[in-house]
Amino acid sequence: MTSLHADHYADNLVQLRSPLVTNRCVARDTFLCRIDAPEIAGAVIPGQFVMIRMAQHDAPLIGRAFAVWDIINDDSGSPRFIELIYLRKGTLTRALASAPVGTPMDVWGPLGNGFAARPCDRLIMTAGGIGQTPMLLLGKEAIGTTDFGREHGWANHVEIIYGARTAELLAGVEAFRTAGFEVTVCTDDGSTGQTGRVPDVLATRLTELKDTGTTRVVTCGPEIMMQRVSKVCDQHGVDCQVSMETPMACGIGICFSCVAKIRQDDPNQPWDYKRTCVEGPIFDSSRVHWDD
């Protein structure tokens, strides 16, 4: 596991108030918003997140964490806008879903450590529920179409296995295809794509790819899904990183509300609590102490 580096702390975050540029429905109860935030857009690496709250609103008082879905450049080619995909579920997201363009938002970030840029022959991204949100930027970097100021073009092939309960909940599938990724969709009810769950589809895929080069897996979604993906990768001897979706209150490591159990090298202390907002949200799956 990579040691906590000072860059993972929130010392270099940018906090700003900026308007919604777009805010539209992209799937059932799922929305995409765009915020004018060039200082953040130019600093993000794949897997990082921002905290947002609705300016001049006190319900909820604290912010909420959102993975950065995409970065949009201005006419000169410089990063200017951040895009977020969110599920209309809680107090903030219900209010945000009905917020008109121009609504001021308080935003701070980028936060967290982001995915590692580890060269491989094939990157397989696995996502369930709303867990597709950190994957677009990572895939673009891996395939080499976007440069985030570090190594890029480090995978020869990029694919995503994306699952949801039903077809109406899938959001961003066309964006993945447009980016040049191989896309496999699965649904619990069989309404589109393969019928089944992401870990099972991944297990079949890894069996097919045996002895075809180095494969790396990243995953984000419900914890039970990530735990099963981690187990599949362990069985196949495949490197895997997980993006933890632990609820956060501050995003900057102060409140300790977002801790996860992470394995340690000390035999006298097999695991310890780590803050997903600064030590994460990305962890090597072999380091995560899953609750059975």
Side-chain angles (χ1 to χ4, degrees), residues 14-108:
V14 175
Q15 185 169 9
L16 52 84
R17 178 166 293 181
S18 192
L20 286 175
V21 177
T22 61
N23 194 27
R24 57 188 176 86
C25 183
V26 292
R28 192 178 82 190
D29 293 325
T30 309
F31 294 77
L32 182 149
C33 71
R34 181 181 295 181
I35 301 173
D36 190 357
E39 301 94 335
I40 296 175
V44 166
I45 63 171
Q48 288 189 304
F49 65 96
V50 296
M51 298 289 290
I52 71 170
R53 66 183 299 275
M54 298 185 70
Q56 302 168 338
H57 286 244
D58 57 7
L61 182 62
I62 60 177
R64 295 291 186 269
F66 293 81
V68 178
W69 162 253
D70 205 0
I71 302 296
I72 307 300
N73 293 341
D74 60 20
D75 292 339
S76 70
S78 298
R80 177 167 178 178
F81 305 98
I82 59 171
E83 287 190 337
L84 317 172
I85 288 183
Y86 63 95
L87 187 65
R88 180 172 56 191
K89 185 177 181 180
T91 301
L92 184 139
T93 51
R94 287 198 300 269
L96 180 57
S98 60
V101 168
T103 299
M105 305 297 299
D106 287 332
V107 188
W108 56 103

Coordinates of all heavy atoms in Angstrom, one line a residue, residues 14-108:
V14 N -8.8 23.8 -3.4 CA -9.4 25.1 -3.8 C -10.8 25.2 -3.4 O -11.6 24.2 -3.6 CB -9.3 25.3 -5.3 CG1 -10.0 26.6 -5.8 CG2 -7.9 25.3 -5.8
Q15 N -11.2 26.2 -2.7 CA -12.6 26.4 -2.3 C -13.2 27.6 -3.1 O -12.6 28.7 -3.1 CB -12.7 26.6 -0.8 CG -14.2 26.7 -0.3 CD -14.3 26.6 1.2 OE1 -13.3 26.7 1.9 NE2 -15.5 26.4 1.7
L16 N -14.3 27.4 -3.7 CA -14.9 28.5 -4.5 C -16.4 28.4 -4.5 O -17.0 27.4 -4.1 CB -14.4 28.4 -5.9 CG -14.4 27.1 -6.7 CD1 -15.8 26.9 -7.3 CD2 -13.3 27.0 -7.7
R17 N -17.0 29.5 -4.9 CA -18.5 29.5 -5.1 C -18.7 29.8 -6.6 O -18.2 30.7 -7.1 CB -19.1 30.6 -4.3 CG -20.6 30.7 -4.5 CD -21.3 31.6 -3.4 NE -21.2 30.9 -2.1 CZ -21.7 31.4 -0.9 NH1 -22.3 32.6 -1.0 NH2 -21.6 30.7 0.2
S18 N -19.4 28.9 -7.2 CA -19.5 28.9 -8.7 C -20.9 28.4 -9.1 O -21.5 27.6 -8.4 CB -18.4 28.1 -9.3 OG -18.3 28.4 -10.7
P19 N -21.4 28.9 -10.2 CA -22.8 28.5 -10.6 C -22.9 27.2 -11.4 O -21.9 26.7 -12.0 CB -23.2 29.6 -11.6 CG -21.9 30.1 -12.2 CD -20.9 29.9 -11.1
L20 N -24.0 26.5 -11.3 CA -24.3 25.4 -12.1 C -24.4 25.9 -13.6 O -25.1 26.9 -13.9 CB -25.7 24.8 -11.7 CG -25.7 23.9 -10.5 CD1 -27.2 23.5 -10.2 CD2 -24.8 22.7 -10.5
V21 N -23.7 25.2 -14.5 CA -23.8 25.5 -15.9 C -24.8 24.6 -16.6 O -25.5 25.1 -17.5 CB -22.4 25.3 -16.5 CG1 -22.4 25.6 -18.0 CG2 -21.4 26.3 -15.8
T22 N -24.8 23.4 -16.2 CA -25.9 22.5 -16.7 C -26.3 21.6 -15.5 O -25.5 21.4 -14.6 CB -25.4 21.6 -17.9 OG1 -24.3 20.8 -17.4 CG2 -25.0 22.4 -19.1
N23 N -27.5 21.0 -15.6 CA -28.0 20.1 -14.6 C -29.2 19.4 -15.2 O -30.3 19.9 -15.3 CB -28.5 20.9 -13.4 CG -28.7 20.0 -12.2 OD1 -28.1 19.0 -12.0 ND2 -29.6 20.5 -11.3
R24 N -28.9 18.1 -15.6 CA -29.9 17.4 -16.4 C -30.0 15.9 -16.0 O -29.0 15.4 -15.5 CB -29.6 17.5 -17.9 CG -28.3 17.0 -18.3 CD -28.0 17.3 -19.8 NE -26.6 16.9 -20.2 CZ -26.3 15.6 -20.6 NH1 -27.3 14.7 -20.7 NH2 -25.1 15.3 -20.9
C25 N -31.2 15.4 -16.2 CA -31.4 14.0 -15.9 C -30.8 13.1 -17.0 O -30.9 13.4 -18.2 CB -32.9 13.7 -15.9 SG -33.3 12.0 -15.4
V26 N -30.0 12.1 -16.6 CA -29.3 11.2 -17.6 C -29.8 9.7 -17.5 O -29.4 8.9 -18.3 CB -27.8 11.3 -17.5 CG1 -27.3 12.7 -17.9 CG2 -27.3 11.0 -16.1
A27 N -30.5 9.4 -16.4 CA -31.1 8.1 -16.2 C -32.1 8.2 -15.1 O -32.3 9.3 -14.5 CB -30.0 7.1 -15.8
R28 N -32.7 7.1 -14.8 CA -33.8 7.2 -13.7 C -33.2 7.7 -12.4 O -32.2 7.0 -11.9 CB -34.5 5.9 -13.5 CG -35.7 5.9 -12.7 CD -36.4 4.6 -12.6 NE -35.8 3.8 -11.6 CZ -36.0 2.5 -11.4 NH1 -36.8 1.8 -12.2 NH2 -35.4 1.8 -10.4
D29 N -33.6 8.8 -11.9 CA -33.2 9.4 -10.6 C -31.7 9.7 -10.6 O -31.1 9.9 -9.6 CB -33.5 8.4 -9.4 CG -34.9 8.3 -9.2 OD1 -35.7 9.3 -9.3 OD2 -35.4 7.2 -8.8
T30 N -31.1 9.9 -11.8 CA -29.7 10.1 -11.9 C -29.5 11.4 -12.8 O -30.1 11.5 -13.8 CB -28.9 8.9 -12.6 OG1 -29.3 7.7 -11.9 CG2 -27.5 9.1 -12.6
F31 N -28.6 12.3 -12.3 CA -28.4 13.6 -13.0 C -26.9 13.8 -13.2 O -26.1 13.3 -12.5 CB -29.0 14.7 -12.1 CG -30.5 14.6 -11.9 CD1 -31.1 13.6 -11.1 CD2 -31.3 15.4 -12.7 CE1 -32.5 13.5 -11.0 CE2 -32.7 15.3 -12.6 CZ -33.3 14.4 -11.7
L32 N -26.7 14.7 -14.2 CA -25.3 15.2 -14.5 C -25.4 16.7 -14.3 O -26.2 17.4 -14.9 CB -24.9 14.8 -15.9 CG -23.5 15.2 -16.3 CD1 -22.9 14.2 -17.3 CD2 -23.5 16.6 -16.9
C33 N -24.4 17.2 -13.5 CA -24.3 18.7 -13.4 C -22.9 19.1 -13.8 O -21.9 18.3 -13.7 CB -24.7 19.2 -12.0 SG -23.5 18.8 -10.7
R34 N -22.8 20.3 -14.3 CA -21.5 20.9 -14.7 C -21.3 22.2 -13.9 O -22.3 23.0 -13.9 CB -21.5 21.2 -16.2 CG -20.2 21.8 -16.7 CD -20.2 22.0 -18.2 NE -20.3 20.8 -19.0 CZ -20.3 20.7 -20.3 NH1 -20.3 21.9 -21.0 NH2 -20.4 19.6 -20.9
I35 N -20.1 22.3 -13.4 CA -19.8 23.5 -12.5 C -18.6 24.2 -13.1 O -17.6 23.5 -13.4 CB -19.6 23.1 -11.1 CG1 -20.9 22.4 -10.5 CG2 -19.3 24.3 -10.2 CD1 -20.7 21.9 -9.1
D36 N -18.7 25.5 -13.2 CA -17.5 26.3 -13.7 C -16.5 26.4 -12.6 O -16.6 27.2 -11.6 CB -18.0 27.7 -14.1 CG -17.0 28.5 -14.8 OD1 -15.9 28.0 -15.0 OD2 -17.3 29.6 -15.3
A37 N -15.4 25.6 -12.7 CA -14.4 25.6 -11.6 C -13.0 25.3 -12.2 O -12.5 24.2 -12.0 CB -14.8 24.5 -10.6
P38 N -12.5 26.2 -12.9 CA -11.2 26.0 -13.6 C -10.0 25.6 -12.7 O -9.2 24.8 -13.0 CB -10.9 27.3 -14.4 CG -11.8 28.3 -13.7 CD -13.0 27.6 -13.2
E39 N -10.0 26.2 -11.5 CA -8.9 25.9 -10.5 C -8.9 24.5 -10.1 O -7.9 23.9 -9.9 CB -9.0 26.9 -9.3 CG -9.0 28.3 -9.6 CD -10.4 28.9 -9.8 OE1 -11.3 28.2 -10.1 OE2 -10.5 30.2 -9.6
I40 N -10.1 23.9 -10.0 CA -10.2 22.5 -9.6 C -10.0 21.6 -10.9 O -9.3 20.6 -10.8 CB -11.6 22.2 -9.0 CG1 -11.7 23.0 -7.6 CG2 -11.8 20.7 -8.7 CD1 -13.0 22.9 -6.9
A41 N -10.7 22.0 -12.0 CA -10.6 21.2 -13.2 C -9.2 21.0 -13.7 O -8.8 19.9 -14.2 CB -11.4 21.9 -14.3
G42 N -8.3 21.9 -13.4 CA -6.9 21.8 -13.9 C -6.0 21.1 -13.0 O -4.8 20.8 -13.3
A43 N -6.5 20.6 -11.8 CA -5.7 20.0 -10.8 C -6.1 18.5 -10.5 O -5.4 17.8 -9.9 CB -5.7 20.8 -9.5
V44 N -7.3 18.1 -11.0 CA -7.8 16.8 -10.7 C -7.0 15.7 -11.4 O -6.5 15.8 -12.5 CB -9.3 16.7 -11.2 CG1 -9.8 15.3 -11.3 CG2 -10.2 17.6 -10.4
I45 N -6.9 14.5 -10.7 CA -6.4 13.3 -11.2 C -7.5 12.3 -11.1 O -8.4 12.4 -10.2 CB -5.1 12.8 -10.6 CG1 -5.2 12.5 -9.1 CG2 -4.0 13.8 -10.8 CD1 -4.0 11.8 -8.5
P46 N -7.5 11.2 -11.9 CA -8.6 10.3 -11.9 C -8.8 9.6 -10.5 O -7.8 9.2 -9.9 CB -8.2 9.2 -12.9 CG -7.4 10.0 -13.9 CD -6.6 11.0 -13.1
G47 N -10.0 9.5 -10.0 CA -10.3 8.9 -8.8 C -10.5 9.9 -7.6 O -11.0 9.6 -6.5
Q48 N -10.1 11.2 -7.9 CA -10.3 12.2 -6.8 C -11.8 12.7 -6.8 O -12.5 12.4 -7.7 CB -9.4 13.4 -7.1 CG -7.9 13.1 -6.7 CD -7.0 14.3 -6.8 OE1 -7.0 15.0 -7.8 NE2 -6.3 14.6 -5.7
F49 N -12.1 13.4 -5.8 CA -13.5 13.9 -5.6 C -13.5 15.3 -5.1 O -12.5 15.9 -4.8 CB -14.2 13.0 -4.6 CG -13.7 13.0 -3.2 CD1 -14.3 13.9 -2.2 CD2 -12.6 12.3 -2.8 CE1 -13.8 14.0 -0.9 CE2 -12.1 12.3 -1.5 CZ -12.7 13.2 -0.6
V50 N -14.7 15.9 -5.1 CA -14.9 17.2 -4.6 C -16.0 17.1 -3.6 O -16.9 16.2 -3.6 CB -15.3 18.2 -5.7 CG1 -14.2 18.4 -6.6 CG2 -16.6 17.8 -6.4
M51 N -16.1 18.1 -2.7 CA -17.2 18.2 -1.8 C -18.0 19.4 -2.3 O -17.5 20.4 -2.7 CB -16.7 18.5 -0.3 CG -15.9 17.4 0.3 SD -16.8 15.9 0.7 CE -17.8 16.5 2.1
I52 N -19.3 19.3 -2.2 CA -20.2 20.4 -2.7 C -21.3 20.6 -1.7 O -21.8 19.6 -1.0 CB -20.7 20.2 -4.1 CG1 -21.8 19.1 -4.1 CG2 -19.6 19.9 -5.1 CD1 -22.5 19.0 -5.5
R53 N -21.8 21.8 -1.6 CA -23.0 22.1 -0.9 C -23.7 23.2 -1.7 O -23.0 24.0 -2.4 CB -22.8 22.4 0.5 CG -22.0 23.7 0.8 CD -21.8 23.9 2.3 NE -23.0 24.1 3.0 CZ -23.7 25.2 3.2 NH1 -23.2 26.3 2.6 NH2 -24.8 25.3 3.9
M54 N -25.0 23.4 -1.5 CA -25.7 24.5 -2.1 C -25.5 25.7 -1.3 O -25.8 25.8 -0.1 CB -27.2 24.1 -2.2 CG -27.4 22.9 -3.1 SD -29.2 22.5 -3.4 CE -29.6 23.9 -4.5
A55 N -24.9 26.7 -2.0 CA -24.6 28.0 -1.3 C -25.9 28.6 -0.8 O -27.0 28.5 -1.4 CB -24.0 29.0 -2.3
Q56 N -25.8 29.2 0.4 CA -26.9 30.0 1.0 C -28.0 29.1 1.5 O -29.1 29.5 1.7 CB -27.4 31.1 0.1 CG -26.3 32.1 -0.3 CD -26.8 33.0 -1.5 OE1 -27.7 32.7 -2.2 NE2 -26.1 34.1 -1.6
H57 N -27.7 27.7 1.6 CA -28.7 26.8 2.1 C -28.1 26.2 3.4 O -26.9 25.9 3.4 CB -29.0 25.7 1.1 CG -29.9 26.1 0.0 ND1 -31.1 25.6 -0.2 CD2 -29.7 27.0 -1.0 CE1 -31.7 26.2 -1.3 NE2 -30.8 27.0 -1.8
D58 N -28.9 25.9 4.4 CA -28.4 25.3 5.6 C -29.0 23.9 5.8 O -28.9 23.4 6.9 CB -28.7 26.2 6.8 CG -30.1 26.5 7.0 OD1 -31.0 26.0 6.3 OD2 -30.5 27.3 7.9
A59 N -29.6 23.4 4.8 CA -30.1 22.0 4.9 C -29.8 21.3 3.6 O -30.4 21.5 2.6 CB -31.6 22.0 5.1
P60 N -28.8 20.4 3.6 CA -27.9 20.1 4.7 C -26.9 21.1 4.9 O -26.4 21.8 4.0 CB -27.4 18.7 4.3 CG -27.3 18.8 2.8 CD -28.5 19.5 2.4
L61 N -26.4 21.2 6.2 CA -25.4 22.2 6.5 C -24.0 21.8 6.0 O -23.2 22.6 5.5 CB -25.3 22.4 8.0 CG -24.3 23.5 8.5 CD1 -24.7 24.8 7.9 CD2 -24.3 23.5 10.0
I62 N -23.7 20.5 6.1 CA -22.4 20.0 5.6 C -22.4 19.6 4.2 O -23.5 19.4 3.6 CB -21.9 18.8 6.5 CG1 -22.9 17.7 6.4 CG2 -21.7 19.3 7.9 CD1 -22.4 16.5 7.2
G63 N -21.2 19.5 3.5 CA -21.2 19.1 2.1 C -21.3 17.6 1.9 O -21.4 16.8 2.9
R64 N -21.3 17.3 0.6 CA -21.4 15.9 0.3 C -20.3 15.6 -0.8 O -19.9 16.5 -1.6 CB -22.7 15.5 -0.4 CG -23.9 15.6 0.6 CD -23.9 14.5 1.7 NE -25.1 14.6 2.5 CZ -25.2 15.3 3.6 NH1 -24.2 16.0 4.0 NH2 -26.3 15.2 4.4
A65 N -19.8 14.4 -0.8 CA -18.7 14.0 -1.6 C -19.2 13.5 -3.0 O -20.1 12.7 -3.0 CB -17.8 12.9 -1.0
F66 N -18.6 14.0 -4.1 CA -18.9 13.5 -5.4 C -17.6 13.2 -6.2 O -16.8 14.1 -6.3 CB -19.7 14.6 -6.2 CG -21.1 14.9 -5.6 CD1 -21.2 15.7 -4.5 CD2 -22.2 14.3 -6.1 CE1 -22.5 16.0 -3.9 CE2 -23.5 14.6 -5.6 CZ -23.6 15.4 -4.5
A67 N -17.5 12.0 -6.8 CA -16.4 11.8 -7.6 C -16.5 12.6 -8.9 O -17.6 12.9 -9.4 CB -16.4 10.3 -8.0
V68 N -15.3 13.1 -9.4 CA -15.3 13.9 -10.6 C -15.5 12.9 -11.8 O -14.7 12.0 -12.0 CB -14.0 14.7 -10.8 CG1 -14.0 15.5 -12.1 CG2 -13.9 15.6 -9.6
W69 N -16.6 13.1 -12.5 CA -16.9 12.3 -13.7 C -16.1 12.7 -14.9 O -15.6 11.8 -15.6 CB -18.4 12.4 -13.9 CG -18.9 12.0 -15.3 CD1 -19.3 12.8 -16.3 CD2 -19.0 10.6 -15.8 NE1 -19.7 12.0 -17.4 CE2 -19.5 10.7 -17.1 CE3 -18.8 9.4 -15.3 CZ2 -19.8 9.6 -17.9 CZ3 -19.0 8.2 -16.0 CH2 -19.5 8.3 -17.3
D70 N -16.1 14.0 -15.2 CA -15.4 14.4 -16.4 C -14.9 15.9 -16.2 O -15.4 16.6 -15.4 CB -16.3 14.3 -17.6 CG -15.5 14.2 -19.0 OD1 -14.3 14.2 -18.9 OD2 -16.2 14.1 -20.0
I71 N -13.9 16.2 -17.1 CA -13.4 17.5 -17.1 C -13.6 18.1 -18.5 O -13.3 17.4 -19.5 CB -11.8 17.6 -16.9 CG1 -11.5 17.0 -15.5 CG2 -11.3 19.0 -17.0 CD1 -12.1 17.7 -14.3
I72 N -14.2 19.3 -18.6 CA -14.5 19.9 -19.9 C -13.6 21.1 -20.1 O -13.5 22.0 -19.2 CB -16.0 20.3 -20.0 CG1 -16.9 19.1 -19.6 CG2 -16.3 20.9 -21.4 CD1 -16.7 17.9 -20.5
N73 N -13.0 21.2 -21.3 CA -12.1 22.3 -21.6 C -12.9 23.5 -22.1 O -14.0 23.4 -22.7 CB -11.1 21.9 -22.6 CG -10.1 20.9 -22.1 OD1 -9.9 20.7 -20.9 ND2 -9.4 20.2 -23.0
D74 N -12.3 24.7 -22.0 CA -12.9 25.9 -22.6 C -12.4 26.0 -24.1 O -11.8 25.1 -24.6 CB -12.5 27.2 -21.8 CG -10.9 27.4 -21.8 OD1 -10.2 26.8 -22.6 OD2 -10.5 28.2 -20.9
D75 N -12.8 27.1 -24.7 CA -12.5 27.2 -26.2 C -11.0 27.2 -26.5 O -10.6 26.9 -27.6 CB -13.1 28.5 -26.7 CG -14.7 28.4 -26.7 OD1 -15.2 27.2 -26.7 OD2 -15.3 29.4 -26.8
S76 N -10.2 27.6 -25.5 CA -8.7 27.6 -25.7 C -8.1 26.2 -25.4 O -6.8 26.1 -25.6 CB -8.1 28.7 -24.8 OG -8.1 28.3 -23.5
G77 N -8.8 25.3 -25.0 CA -8.3 23.9 -24.7 C -7.8 23.8 -23.2 O -7.3 22.8 -22.9
S78 N -8.1 24.8 -22.4 CA -7.7 24.7 -21.0 C -8.9 24.1 -20.1 O -10.0 24.4 -20.4 CB -7.4 26.1 -20.4 OG -6.3 26.6 -21.1
P79 N -8.6 23.3 -19.1 CA -9.6 22.7 -18.3 C -10.4 23.8 -17.6 O -9.8 24.7 -17.0 CB -8.8 21.8 -17.3 CG -7.5 21.5 -17.9 CD -7.2 22.7 -18.8
R80 N -11.7 23.7 -17.6 CA -12.5 24.8 -17.0 C -13.7 24.2 -16.2 O -13.9 24.7 -15.1 CB -13.1 25.7 -18.1 CG -14.0 26.8 -17.5 CD -14.3 27.9 -18.4 NE -15.3 28.8 -17.8 CZ -15.7 29.9 -18.4 NH1 -15.3 30.2 -19.6 NH2 -16.5 30.7 -17.7
F81 N -14.4 23.2 -16.7 CA -15.6 22.8 -16.0 C -15.4 21.4 -15.4 O -14.7 20.6 -16.0 CB -16.8 22.7 -16.9 CG -17.0 24.0 -17.6 CD1 -16.6 24.2 -18.9 CD2 -17.8 25.0 -17.0 CE1 -16.8 25.4 -19.6 CE2 -18.0 26.2 -17.7 CZ -17.6 26.4 -19.0
I82 N -16.0 21.1 -14.3 CA -16.0 19.8 -13.7 C -17.5 19.3 -13.9 O -18.4 20.0 -13.7 CB -15.6 19.7 -12.3 CG1 -16.5 20.6 -11.3 CG2 -14.1 20.0 -12.1 CD1 -16.2 20.3 -9.9
E83 N -17.6 18.0 -14.2 CA -18.9 17.3 -14.3 C -19.0 16.3 -13.3 O -18.1 15.5 -13.0 CB -19.1 16.8 -15.7 CG -19.4 17.8 -16.8 CD -19.8 17.2 -18.1 OE1 -19.6 16.0 -18.4 OE2 -20.5 18.0 -18.9
L84 N -20.2 16.2 -12.7 CA -20.5 15.2 -11.6 C -21.8 14.5 -12.0 O -22.7 15.1 -12.5 CB -20.7 15.9 -10.2 CG -19.7 17.0 -9.9 CD1 -20.2 17.7 -8.6 CD2 -18.3 16.5 -9.7
I85 N -21.8 13.2 -11.7 CA -23.0 12.4 -11.9 C -23.5 12.0 -10.5 O -22.7 11.5 -9.7 CB -22.8 11.2 -12.8 CG1 -22.7 11.6 -14.3 CG2 -24.0 10.2 -12.7 CD1 -22.5 10.5 -15.2
Y86 N -24.7 12.2 -10.2 CA -25.2 11.9 -8.9 C -26.6 11.3 -8.9 O -27.4 11.4 -9.9 CB -25.2 13.2 -8.0 CG -26.2 14.3 -8.5 CD1 -27.5 14.4 -8.0 CD2 -25.8 15.2 -9.4 CE1 -28.3 15.4 -8.4 CE2 -26.6 16.2 -9.9 CZ -27.9 16.3 -9.4 OH -28.7 17.3 -9.8
L87 N -26.9 10.5 -7.9 CA -28.2 9.9 -7.7 C -29.1 10.7 -6.8 O -28.7 11.1 -5.7 CB -28.0 8.5 -7.1 CG -29.2 7.5 -7.0 CD1 -29.7 7.2 -8.4 CD2 -28.8 6.3 -6.2
R88 N -30.3 11.0 -7.2 CA -31.2 11.8 -6.4 C -31.7 10.8 -5.3 O -32.5 9.9 -5.5 CB -32.4 12.2 -7.3 CG -33.4 13.0 -6.5 CD -34.5 13.6 -7.4 NE -35.1 12.6 -8.2 CZ -35.9 12.9 -9.3 NH1 -36.1 14.2 -9.6 NH2 -36.5 11.9 -10.0
K89 N -31.2 11.1 -4.1 CA -31.5 10.2 -3.0 C -31.7 10.9 -1.7 O -32.7 10.7 -1.0 CB -30.3 9.1 -2.9 CG -30.5 8.0 -1.9 CD -29.4 7.1 -1.9 CE -29.6 5.9 -0.9 NZ -28.4 4.9 -1.0
G90 N -30.7 11.7 -1.3 CA -30.7 12.3 0.0 C -31.2 13.8 0.0 O -31.6 14.3 -1.1
T91 N -31.1 14.5 1.1 CA -31.6 15.9 1.1 C -30.9 16.8 0.1 O -31.5 17.5 -0.6 CB -31.3 16.4 2.6 OG1 -32.0 15.6 3.5 CG2 -31.9 17.9 2.7
L92 N -29.5 16.7 0.0 CA -28.8 17.6 -0.9 C -29.1 17.2 -2.3 O -29.3 18.1 -3.2 CB -27.3 17.6 -0.6 CG -26.5 18.5 -1.5 CD1 -25.4 19.2 -0.7 CD2 -25.9 17.8 -2.7
T93 N -29.0 15.9 -2.6 CA -29.2 15.6 -4.1 C -30.6 15.8 -4.5 O -30.8 16.0 -5.7 CB -28.8 14.1 -4.3 OG1 -29.4 13.2 -3.3 CG2 -27.2 14.0 -4.1
R94 N -31.6 15.7 -3.7 CA -33.0 16.0 -4.1 C -33.1 17.5 -4.4 O -33.7 17.8 -5.4 CB -34.0 15.6 -3.0 CG -34.2 14.1 -2.9 CD -35.5 13.7 -2.1 NE -35.4 14.3 -0.8 CZ -35.0 13.6 0.3 NH1 -34.5 12.4 0.2 NH2 -35.0 14.2 1.5
A95 N -32.5 18.3 -3.5 CA -32.5 19.7 -3.8 C -31.7 20.1 -5.0 O -32.1 20.9 -5.9 CB -32.0 20.5 -2.6
L96 N -30.6 19.4 -5.2 CA -29.7 19.7 -6.4 C -30.4 19.3 -7.7 O -30.3 20.0 -8.7 CB -28.4 19.0 -6.2 CG -27.3 19.2 -7.3 CD1 -27.0 20.6 -7.5 CD2 -26.1 18.3 -7.0
A97 N -31.1 18.2 -7.7 CA -31.8 17.8 -8.9 C -32.8 18.8 -9.4 O -33.0 18.8 -10.6 CB -32.4 16.4 -8.6
S98 N -33.4 19.6 -8.6 CA -34.4 20.6 -9.0 C -33.8 22.0 -9.1 O -34.5 22.9 -9.4 CB -35.6 20.6 -8.0 OG -35.1 20.9 -6.7
A99 N -32.5 22.1 -8.9 CA -31.8 23.4 -8.9 C -31.7 23.9 -10.3 O -31.2 23.1 -11.2 CB -30.5 23.4 -8.2
P100 N -32.1 25.1 -10.7 CA -31.9 25.6 -12.0 C -30.5 26.0 -12.3 O -29.7 26.2 -11.4 CB -32.8 26.9 -12.0 CG -32.8 27.3 -10.6 CD -32.7 26.1 -9.8
V101 N -30.2 26.1 -13.6 CA -28.9 26.6 -14.1 C -28.7 28.0 -13.5 O -29.6 28.8 -13.4 CB -28.8 26.6 -15.6 CG1 -27.6 27.4 -16.1 CG2 -28.8 25.2 -16.2
G102 N -27.5 28.2 -13.0 CA -27.1 29.5 -12.4 C -27.1 29.4 -10.9 O -26.6 30.4 -10.2
T103 N -27.7 28.4 -10.3 CA -27.7 28.2 -8.9 C -26.2 28.2 -8.3 O -25.4 27.4 -8.8 CB -28.4 26.9 -8.4 OG1 -29.7 27.0 -8.9 CG2 -28.4 26.7 -6.9
P104 N -25.9 29.0 -7.4 CA -24.5 29.0 -6.8 C -24.3 27.8 -6.0 O -25.1 27.4 -5.2 CB -24.5 30.3 -6.0 CG -25.9 30.6 -5.6 CD -26.7 30.1 -6.7
M105 N -23.1 27.2 -6.2 CA -22.6 26.0 -5.4 C -21.3 26.3 -4.7 O -20.4 27.0 -5.3 CB -22.5 24.8 -6.4 CG -23.7 24.5 -7.2 SD -25.1 24.0 -6.3 CE -24.5 22.6 -5.5
D106 N -21.2 25.9 -3.5 CA -19.9 25.9 -2.8 C -19.2 24.6 -3.1 O -19.8 23.5 -2.9 CB -20.1 26.1 -1.3 CG -20.5 27.5 -0.9 OD1 -20.2 28.4 -1.7 OD2 -21.2 27.6 0.1
V107 N -18.0 24.7 -3.6 CA -17.2 23.5 -4.0 C -15.8 23.6 -3.5 O -15.2 24.6 -3.5 CB -17.1 23.4 -5.6 CG1 -16.5 22.1 -6.0 CG2 -18.5 23.7 -6.2
W108 N -15.3 22.4 -2.9 CA -13.9 22.4 -2.5 C -13.3 21.1 -2.9 O -13.9 20.0 -2.9 CB -13.7 22.7 -1.1 CG -14.4 21.9 0.0 CD1 -13.9 21.0 0.7 CD2 -15.8 22.1 0.4 NE1 -14.8 20.5 1.6 CE2 -16.0 21.1 1.5 CE3 -16.9 22.9 0.1 CZ2 -17.2 21.0 2.1 CZ3 -18.1 22.7 0.7 CH2 -18.2 21.8 1.7

